[in-house]
């Protein structure tokens, strides 16, 4: 199985954000592994629930940091988070309902790639801002 890795390119310089990003990538990899191994629906649903919950928790933590330090990019960052959570929920709901079809796994991978891109650009900007505050 091909998974995602937390690389230097994804480090923001903020210990909490970086730790949560690592845990998020682990959760994504666990879901991809469960799908590729044809694990039972119960195992997949547990992983899907954890991933959605963790994304919500992590985005909330990031936004709280942004509010505390008056981050100028908060509105756009929050808008990305809301749209991302909604789409992730839709994709994982379909995987849960009909199983991990190739089409849905493709959508999930594309959506995860969007998150990785967000981390490597927007979250890095946030990390730089936090480290300068």
């Amino acid at each position: 199985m091909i998974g995602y890795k937390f690389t230097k390119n994804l480090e923001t310089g903020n210990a909490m954000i970086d730790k949560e990003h690592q845990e998020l990538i682990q959760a994504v990899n666990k879901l991809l592994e469960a799908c590729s191994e044809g694990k039972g629906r119960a195992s997949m649903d547990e992983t899907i629930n954890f991933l959605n919950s963790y994304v919500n928790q992590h985005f909330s933590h990031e936004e709280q940091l942004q509010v505390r330090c008056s981050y100028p990019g908060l509105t756009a960052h929050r808008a990305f988070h809301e749209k991302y959570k909604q789409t992730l929920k839709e994709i994982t709901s379909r995987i849960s309902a009909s199983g991990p079809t190739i089409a849905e796994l493709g959508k999930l991978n594309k959506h995860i790639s969007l998150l990785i891109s967000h981390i490597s650009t927007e979250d890095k900007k946030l990390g730089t801002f936090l480290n300068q505050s």
Side-chain angles (χ1 to χ4, degrees):
M1 180 211 67
I2 298 174
Y4 293 90
K5 292 186 192 253
F6 184 82
T7 62
K8 282 270 187 210
N9 186 48
L10 299 178
E11 289 181 4
T12 65
N14 179 281
M16 183 207 71
I17 292 173
D18 288 342
K19 179 179 181 292
E20 289 187 358
H21 285 163
Q22 288 173 344
E23 291 171 359
L24 197 51
I25 289 171
Q26 287 173 353
V28 164
N29 287 337
K30 186 174 178 182
L31 176 57
L32 293 174
E33 184 178 322
C35 290
S36 71
E37 292 178 357
K39 293 201 171 169
R41 183 153 291 160
S43 172
M44 225 175 352
D45 284 348
E46 180 181 321
T47 306
I48 284 170
N49 290 338
F50 176 80
L51 178 59
N52 280 295
S53 174
Y54 200 83
V55 164
N56 289 339
Q57 175 186 327
H58 168 65
F59 285 173
S60 176
H61 289 164
E62 273 190 8
E63 290 168 15
Q64 288 168 11
L65 278 173
Q66 292 174 48
V67 167
R68 259 187 265 146
C69 71
S70 300
Y71 183 59
L74 171 63
T75 302
H77 213 106
R78 184 177 280 153
F80 172 85
H81 286 171
E82 290 307 312
K83 186 170 180 358
Y84 191 89
K85 289 187 296 189
Q86 182 60 39
T87 304
L88 179 64
K89 189 172 182 171
E90 290 168 6
I91 293 168
T92 55
S93 290
R94 287 191 301 266
I95 289 173
S96 181
S98 59
T101 65
I102 290 175
E104 291 306 324
L105 288 177
K107 289 175 188 171
L108 178 63
N109 267 314
K110 185 177 177 184
H111 200 56
I112 299 305
S113 294
L114 180 63
L115 179 64
I116 299 296
S117 175
H118 173 80
I119 291 170
S120 68
T121 57
E122 298 307 313
D123 286 351
K124 283 185 82 101
K125 288 179 196 172
L126 172 60
T128 300
F129 184 86
L130 291 171
N131 290 332
Q132 293 172 349
S133 296

